[in-house]
């Protein structure tokens, strides 16, 4: 299974993915390159900025555009 397939499967199963999850769960070090590969395939991703509630650190969670999450349909920017 390719890294792109691992990322897409993770999003489909869990709803979204972060760079940290990709690294820890799958050993993907070139996460942003894999996101570019996904976009080049014509798949739209929706990046959502978040803040960790404990550490206050900012991070980005990536969703498939058009997926339902939290009861809303997400649209690509």
């Amino acid at each position: 299974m390719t890294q792109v397939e691992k990322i897409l499967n993770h999003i489909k199963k869990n709803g979204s993915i972060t760079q940290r999850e990709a690294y820890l769960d799958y050993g993907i070090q070139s996460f942003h390159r894999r996101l570019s590969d996904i976009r080049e395939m014509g798949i739209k991703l929706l990046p959502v900025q978040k803040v960790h509630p404990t550490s206050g650190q900012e991070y980005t969670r990536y969703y498939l555009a058009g997926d339902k999450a939290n009861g809303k349909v997400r649209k690509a920017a």
Side-chain angles (χ1 to χ4, degrees), residues 10-18 21 61-64:
H10 183 97
I11 294 172
K12 289 174 186 174
K13 180 179 176 186
N14 300 293
S16 63
I17 194 167
T18 64
E21 290 168 341
R61 183 163 287 284
Y62 294 87
Y63 299 85
L64 291 178

Side-chain angles (χ1 to χ4, degrees), residues 5-38:
E5 290 170 333
K6 289 177 184 178
I7 290 169
L8 290 173
N9 285 340
H10 183 97
I11 294 172
K12 289 174 186 174
K13 180 179 176 186
N14 300 293
S16 63
I17 194 167
T18 64
Q19 181 175 4
R20 185 174 189 270
E21 290 168 341
Y23 179 71
L24 292 177
D25 295 349
Y26 310 108
I28 298 172
Q29 295 183 17
S30 301
F31 180 67
H32 293 288
R33 179 62 220 163
R34 299 295 76 84
L35 294 182
S36 294
D37 294 342
I38 291 168

